[in-house]
Amino acid sequence: MQVRCMDTDTVAGVLVVVTGEADIATAPQLREELRAVFSSEARAWTVDLEGLSFCGLMGLDALRDAERTAGQAGSVVCWRGVSQRLRWLAETFPARAAIPAMRVGGSASAT
């Protein structure tokens, strides 16, 4: 699993690209890396999940937790490249009350 923050500030915010797998083994790393990225002064983020080949419940929780952290700092996160499987997972296992549902933008890949 890899998180890359692109240096450019787009209309939709700073672009962050997540690739690899987000599972029980990598979720803690994903959570911490996204928290570190979202701790900067940017107020809008676009997180591209197109390269995320697998995401389990622990990975989904890490994504939701990072979004909550960004929201507490006054930032907005938009998710793009969300696969149909990840959408299904997010709908089947709704966010806990303290963690918001993911704001999804752009088109979904069919993985």
Side-chain angles (χ1 to χ4, degrees):
M1 191 275 317
Q2 182 179 21
V3 175
R4 292 177 312 186
C5 184
M6 310 309 264
D7 291 333
T8 58
D9 190 355
T10 67
V11 173
V14 177
L15 178 62
V16 178
V17 178
V18 179
T19 57
E21 297 184 354
D23 56 22
I24 194 167
T26 60
Q29 176 189 354
L30 175 61
R31 179 178 283 111
E32 291 308 311
E33 288 190 28
L34 285 176
R35 280 183 180 170
V37 167
F38 293 162
S39 69
S40 80
E41 295 182 13
R43 291 293 161 228
W45 300 93
T46 296
V47 181
D48 187 340
L49 301 176
E50 187 77 32
L52 193 62
S53 58
F54 174 81
C55 187
L57 282 175
M58 295 293 289
L60 177 61
D61 278 347
L63 294 172
R64 287 174 169 165
D65 184 51
E67 181 177 40
R68 181 179 53 81
T69 299
Q72 289 173 340
S75 298
V76 175
V77 178
C78 182
W79 307 92
R80 78 175 187 200
V82 178
S83 70
Q84 289 177 352
R85 288 181 185 171
L86 182 53
R87 283 181 192 263
W88 175 86
L89 191 67
E91 291 169 4
T92 303
F93 299 94
R96 292 170 272 160
I99 301 176
M102 295 171 63
R103 285 189 196 103
V104 178
S107 62
S109 64
T111 54

